[in-house]
Amino acid sequence: MLEQVVCLAAVTVLGLLEQAYFALMVIYARRKYSVSPPATTGPPEFERVFRAQANCSEYFPIFVFSLWLAGVFFSQAIAVICGLLYLYGRYRYFHGYAESTQGRLGPLYFSAKVQWVLIALAGLGITCTMIQVYL
Amino acid sequence: MLEQVVCLAAVTVLGLLEQAYFALMVIYARRKYSVSPPATTGPPEFERVFRAQANCSEYFPIFVFSLWLAGVFFSQAIAVICGLLYLYGRYRYFHGYAESTQGRLGPLYFSAKVQWVLIALAGLGITCTMIQVYL
Amino acid sequence: MLEQVVCLAAVTVLGLLEQAYFALMVIYARRKYSVSPPATTGPPEFERVFRAQANCSEYFPIFVFSLWLAGVFFSQAIAVICGLLYLYGRYRYFHGYAESTQGRLGPLYFSAKVQWVLIALAGLGITCTMIQVYL
Ligand SMILES: N[C@@H](CCC(=O)N[C@@H](CS)C(=O)NCC(=O)O)C(=O)O
Ligand SMILES: N[C@@H](CCC(=O)N[C@@H](CS)C(=O)NCC(=O)O)C(=O)O
Ligand SMILES: N[C@@H](CCC(=O)N[C@@H](CS)C(=O)NCC(=O)O)C(=O)O
């Protein structure tokens, strides 16, 4: 049974590593721009890195939930492809945002689209399963 | 086996859609009140919308984890009912908070109570399963 | 099959209770230091409590995902031990941070190490499963 989810698990671990990487980047930015906790404001360069990580963290559970629902109820292979695209989009979002406020927009639209696809696939798969089970 | 969780999955997708809706509301509020990222402060109207979404996002994983634990270890039907009530409470919380600081309190108490029920059902179901397995 | 995850579920519920406790502490701190929502800034004593909870919330989904992946793909017993250590570390982090900015560092390093162990065990278990399934 684990083979039906092992690739979803692998993408999730990749996502965990990405989130850890973003958090380390915030710690480095705190040192570089001398912004000690509990402060969350400072030079715009710091604030962009801080918010980039905060935004990715906010969406991370949403991403993982939709990845697993799409993978279990629709197709593991397609969910995995979307998952990798999403993580790549978030990587570019983080670095784009760190460079400039504008820089976050392209990757944001990209990862938002992938996120919508995952939610749609999850919804479709769940609807089909419900029809099979209850009709 | 999927029929034992398909309704939990459906409620989770509803929750994902609700979170997406809250995020879109923050984007609209950023435009309306001209609060460009990385700023998170501005007129109180904006800050209430921003914090409403931040608060819902903070509790979203907690909600989903307790929904699934209660649904798998206690009862899918009862967990689903609590889940729908919670999402309804959070919808009212978001709009109540957006209108006034006071406006968030009623729905907050409501969804907090439902959240506690979900955690209690999860705890009860897990305790019973542990007793069956280990005693 | 539930016996292979029931202890992971129990640790997760403990984590939910810990997160609820942190949230209640923020509510008390808001009253004590008169920081009404939507404000998130105020005296340093308040800001440290606020950030301590925010930081724990940010990492909570990461913790739960890695706990379950390590528990399912590697070993439930070892994941449970790491999970309990992590929650203990986060308890000390919260109270250390509430007391002083320095006070968060020891517990932070501790829980970060445990978090890395969980991610590594998850990665190892998933890799072994992939080898068995695909080679
Ligand atoms: N959101 C975190 C991400 C990185 C992190 O976890 N930092 C550690 C070490 S500096 C911390 O304790 N941050 C305090 C905080 O988040 O308020 C931050 O802003 O610092
Ligand atoms: N928490 C987000 C919710 C909405 C969102 O995801 N916004 C996008 C487009 S404006 C973003 O990149 N926000 C930047 C940020 O969160 O700092 C916000 O404050 O903006
Ligand atoms: N992060 C929350 C944690 C505690 C909580 O959930 N508080 C409730 C009652 S004061 C709330 O509605 N907070 C408003 C907010 O988070 O902006 C906070 O800062 O207040």
Side-chain angles (χ1 to χ4, degrees), chain B residues 81-93:
Chain B
I81 292 166
C82 291
L84 293 174
L85 289 174
Y86 179 88
L87 293 180
Y88 168 69
R90 277 295 171 172
Y91 181 85
R92 282 184 37 233
Y93 174 83

Side-chain angles (χ1 to χ4, degrees), chain A residues 51-98:
Chain A
R51 285 300 312 166
Q53 187 258 355
N55 195 283
C56 293
S57 295
E58 195 177 296
Y59 288 94
F60 186 63
I62 294 176
F63 162 65
V64 175
F65 295 146
S66 61
L67 173 76
W68 281 76
L69 293 176
V72 169
F73 288 93
F74 191 82
S75 145
Q76 181 174 221
I78 298 175
V80 160
I81 292 166
C82 291
L84 293 174
L85 289 175
Y86 180 88
L87 293 180
Y88 168 69
R90 278 295 172 173
Y91 181 84
R92 280 184 38 233
Y93 173 83
F94 184 86
H95 286 289
Y97 200 172

